[in-house]
Amino acid sequence: MLTSLLSEEFSIVEIEMEYFFLFTLSFIFLLFFPFSSAQMPGFVSLDCGGDKNFTDEIGLKWTPDDKITYGEISTISVANETRKQYMTLRHFPADSRKYCYTLDVVSRTRYLLRATFLYGNFDNNNVYPKFDISIGATDWSTIVISDANTTESDSVKKANYLVDVAYGTKKISTNVSIDINREEMPPVKVMQTAVVGTNGSLTYRLNLDGFPAMGRAFSYLAEIEDFPHNESRKFRLVLPGQSEISKAVVNIEENALGKYRVYEPGFNNLSLPFVMSFKLAKTSDSSKGPLLNAMEINKYLEKNDGSPDGEAISSVLSHYSSADWAQEGGDPCLPVPWSWVRCSSDQQPRIVSILLSGKNMTGDIPLDITKLTGLVELWLDGNMLTGPIPDFTGCMDLKIIHLENNQLAGVLPASLGSLPNLKELYVQNNRLSGTIPSELLSKYLLFNYSGNNNLNKGSRKNNQLYVIIGSAVGAAILLLATIISCLCMHKGKRKYYDQDHLVSLSTQNLESKSDGHAEVAHCFSFSEIESSTNNFEKKIGSGGFGVVYYGKQKDGREIAVKVLTSNSYQGKKEFSNEVSSRPSLIYRVTFSYYAL
């Protein structure tokens, strides 16, 4: 995994496989000899597993990859391999994580990137590894290591490469230095080798991994064979189905303006199939068959910008740059998420979970966490976080928040109650204070706030006031119901109200039924009953409704007064029935006391 590579574009990205096989996004073929690159301005060569700087035999300056904190270092020994950079390696666990190198680059600058892999049986298992590499969030290639003692040379007859290699194919080489004069700077040792089709053609069939796709294809040609001036080498590329490409005639010496100089014909935008077949065929006026030093086929990759949360989460990491968990590097979600992050499955995924329980985090909760708009779960419990709880209204998908067992202070933000999907809120064992927002108490929520001594549901005085108001309202309603019941007993009667009592306008005295007069119940005011019973002085019995008191009216008539003490609906109903059925025998008054 290589990260922070390019912000805009790059031209060639290459991997050297073993000695003879070079990948360039898709791959590059370099024929016959090990390749090495000449020093480029700003070029950095990392010796993986190395312990000091050195300069190799062709002038490349190598530095150790000691800035990466992951992986283990091993020493290997391969027969006939003496180059120092191939004597150490760094290897990583066979898990689902990613391990990243971070390279410092300049924006809008073109870079050539190569990575070389040599297994060397470092683990004594004789099992060749297979793994993926990517540039940031962009998938680069799948690496399959093979036997270091076996070439990938195109001169080996096999299903791919030179189809008719056994017939008419000749290998040639020179010790003369080659004038590269190209931006891509192909290795000199590669350009000092070539194959020639002595029978007039070279025929190839290639499997292009990752294709069909758009790409670029180039050949690197240098005339390294001496022949008389009256002879010539001219040939065409024959590409089935693309006649326009097949028209151009190549004369290497003329095109390169001399021998031992590089000529680089090619095409920038080609639609290439998975299986590519082509031929280099001499023209009718050529005395020499076609020559090929090297060729390069690049696949265009669509650059993946990665998670849109990359900037925000990088700002979060800046607070904990020395922590082990903050060293994973690269995009937080691609090609695989960091070990403490969960992401959505979108092409440009969002961070949905942060799992940082018990990571010794200190200081305030980083405000950049609130910029993760796709966040669903936040686990920051068991740390040493201080300061207030931030406003999470920018994270409307939040369902689970765990902030318990920290040292957070201040109030619970009312904005937490506005999160529509919040199901769990754990803030126990902090130093929170103030009143819990009513929205958090009224919604269905797994809510734990214990261990915050200064955090409460609300003022006790307010609670008492609610009780008093409720009691007063209940008493008023009951009193009103009593008055209405009394009024209903006197249908058809006109009444008038005095300041302290209610008197019937009927002048008819209560008589026995034998008098033949209609019977009515008489209503008395409380003050009249109080006077008649001398303030309820003499108790003469008790009944189902309450205590019975003795009384005497002003006209000398004796009365018995029952005081209804039950406030139940059934008691009132029976009271009313008895008044209606025995009006001449019973005189009653009901009253209640309400203490607030």
Side-chain angles (χ1 to χ4, degrees), residues 51-71:
D51 57 1
K52 60 183 178 182
N53 298 338
F54 69 93
T55 301
D56 66 16
E57 66 276 8
I58 63 172
L60 281 178
K61 296 179 180 180
W62 294 83
T63 57
D65 66 338
D66 51 10
K67 291 184 179 181
I68 187 171
T69 59
Y70 295 102

Side-chain angles (χ1 to χ4, degrees), residues 214-217 267-271 300:
M214 294 297 294
R216 62 192 296 266
F267 304 91
N268 280 311
N269 294 290
L270 285 176
S271 177
Y300 289 137

Side-chain angles (χ1 to χ4, degrees), residues 262-335:
V262 174
Y263 172 52
E264 182 189 351
F267 304 91
N268 280 311
N269 294 290
L270 285 176
S271 177
L272 298 174
F274 171 69
V275 178
M276 180 182 178
S277 297
F278 66 94
K279 179 172 70 172
L280 300 177
K282 77 181 188 69
T283 60
S284 59
D285 59 342
S286 174
S287 61
K288 295 288 185 181
L291 176 148
L292 180 62
N293 303 78
M295 65 182 182
E296 171 185 339
I297 298 176
N298 297 336
K299 176 186 175 183
Y300 289 137
L301 297 180
E302 182 179 357
K303 184 173 179 287
N304 191 328
D305 293 326
S307 171
D309 294 327
E311 183 177 352
I313 202 67
S314 294
S315 297
V316 172
L317 292 185
S318 66
H319 298 275
Y320 309 99
S321 56
S322 61
D324 290 342
W325 55 266
Q327 306 302 318
E328 296 187 40
D331 187 89
C333 297
L334 296 173

Side-chain angles (χ1 to χ4, degrees), residues 312-386:
I313 202 67
S314 294
S315 297
V316 172
L317 292 185
S318 66
H319 298 275
Y320 309 99
S321 56
S322 61
D324 290 342
W325 55 266
Q327 306 302 318
E328 296 187 40
D331 187 89
C333 297
L334 296 173
V336 294
W338 291 337
S339 59
W340 49 274
V341 161
R342 300 290 180 271
C343 299
S344 67
S345 58
D346 304 325
Q347 184 175 2
Q348 290 186 279
R350 306 304 300 247
I351 294 176
V352 296
S353 299
I354 290 181
L355 312 173
L356 288 174
S357 303
K359 296 295 187 181
N360 296 318
M361 299 174 68
T362 59
D364 292 357
I365 296 176
L367 290 179
D368 288 291
I369 288 182
T370 65
K371 298 178 182 179
L372 305 176
T373 56
L375 198 61
V376 176
E377 297 184 25
L378 178 61
W379 296 75
L380 299 178
D381 53 295
N383 288 291
M384 294 175 284
L385 294 168
T386 57

Side-chain angles (χ1 to χ4, degrees), residues 151-172:
T151 62
E152 299 293 342
S153 171
D154 69 341
S155 63
V156 176
K157 187 172 184 179
K158 55 198 311 183
N160 293 322
Y161 315 138
L162 284 169
V163 177
D164 297 321
V165 67
Y167 176 73
T169 302
K170 176 183 175 183
K171 295 188 292 185
I172 62 174

Side-chain angles (χ1 to χ4, degrees), residues 465-504:
L465 178 61
Y466 296 149
V467 173
I468 293 173
I469 293 175
S471 299
V473 171
I477 293 174
L478 187 57
L479 180 60
L480 180 61
T482 302
I483 295 174
I484 293 175
S485 298
C486 188
L487 292 175
C488 290
M489 294 179 184
H490 303 282
K491 293 181 180 179
K493 299 291 183 180
R494 294 179 58 217
K495 304 174 182 64
Y496 71 91
Y497 294 85
D498 200 7
Q499 183 175 358
D500 63 347
H501 59 277
L502 174 65
V503 181
S504 173

Side-chain angles (χ1 to χ4, degrees), residues 198-467:
T198 59
N199 68 338
S201 67
L202 293 171
T203 303
Y204 283 83
R205 182 174 64 244
L206 307 175
N207 290 345
L208 304 182
D209 292 338
F211 284 80
M214 294 297 294
R216 62 192 296 266
F218 283 80
S219 58
Y220 294 96
L221 308 173
E223 185 57 78
I224 62 173
E225 188 176 35
D226 292 323
F227 47 81
H229 291 291
N230 59 349
E231 295 191 49
S232 64
R233 190 189 309 278
K234 299 178 183 178
F235 57 92
R236 285 190 175 93
L237 167 66
V238 179
L239 191 62
Q242 302 197 42
S243 58
E244 292 297 318
I245 293 177
S246 304
K247 289 182 177 180
V249 176
V250 175
N251 184 323
I252 301 175
E253 190 172 353
E254 288 186 1
N255 295 132
L257 303 178
K259 290 181 181 292
Y260 306 105
R261 292 172 60 89
V262 174
Y263 172 52
E264 182 189 351
F267 304 91
N268 280 311
N269 294 290
L270 285 176
S271 177
L272 298 174
F274 171 69
V275 178
M276 180 182 178
S277 297
F278 66 94
K279 179 172 70 172
L280 300 177
K282 77 181 188 69
T283 60
S284 59
D285 59 342
S286 174
S287 61
K288 295 288 185 181
L291 176 148
L292 180 62
N293 303 78
M295 65 182 182
E296 171 185 339
I297 298 176
N298 297 336
K299 176 186 175 183
Y300 289 137
L301 297 180
E302 182 179 357
K303 184 173 179 287
N304 191 328
D305 293 326
S307 171
D309 294 327
E311 183 177 352
I313 202 67
S314 294
S315 297
V316 172
L317 292 185
S318 66
H319 298 275
Y320 309 99
S321 56
S322 61
D324 290 342
W325 55 266
Q327 306 302 318
E328 296 187 40
D331 187 89
C333 297
L334 296 173
V336 294
W338 291 337
S339 59
W340 49 274
V341 161
R342 300 290 180 271
C343 299
S344 67
S345 58
D346 304 325
Q347 184 175 2
Q348 290 186 279
R350 306 304 300 247
I351 294 176
V352 296
S353 299
I354 290 181
L355 312 173
L356 288 174
S357 303
K359 296 295 187 181
N360 296 318
M361 299 174 68
T362 59
D364 292 357
I365 296 176
L367 290 179
D368 288 291
I369 288 182
T370 65
K371 298 178 182 179
L372 305 176
T373 56
L375 198 61
V376 176
E377 297 184 25
L378 178 61
W379 296 75
L380 299 178
D381 53 295
N383 288 291
M384 294 175 284
L385 294 168
T386 57
I389 296 175
D391 184 349
F392 284 104
T393 51
C395 308
M396 298 303 284
D397 293 332
L398 265 174
K399 293 182 179 179
I400 298 173
I401 301 177
H402 279 258
L403 304 176
E404 67 268 26
N405 302 320
N406 280 284
Q407 300 174 29
L408 299 170
V411 300
L412 272 176
S415 59
L416 291 173
S418 66
L419 298 176
N421 299 306
L422 189 61
K423 303 300 181 187
E424 292 183 23
L425 177 60
Y426 286 72
V427 294
Q428 67 268 28
N429 302 326
N430 279 285
R431 299 176 180 177
L432 300 172
S433 59
T435 303
I436 298 174
S438 59
E439 295 85 355
L440 294 176
L441 297 173
S442 61
K443 65 190 303 183
Y444 177 75
L445 181 68
L446 292 176
F447 182 26
N448 192 336
Y449 58 91
S450 62
N452 294 278
N453 295 332
N454 296 317
L455 183 65
N456 55 71
K457 291 184 177 181
S459 172
R460 292 183 178 180
K461 292 182 178 179
N462 289 340
N463 292 338
Q464 292 175 348
L465 178 61
Y466 296 149
V467 173

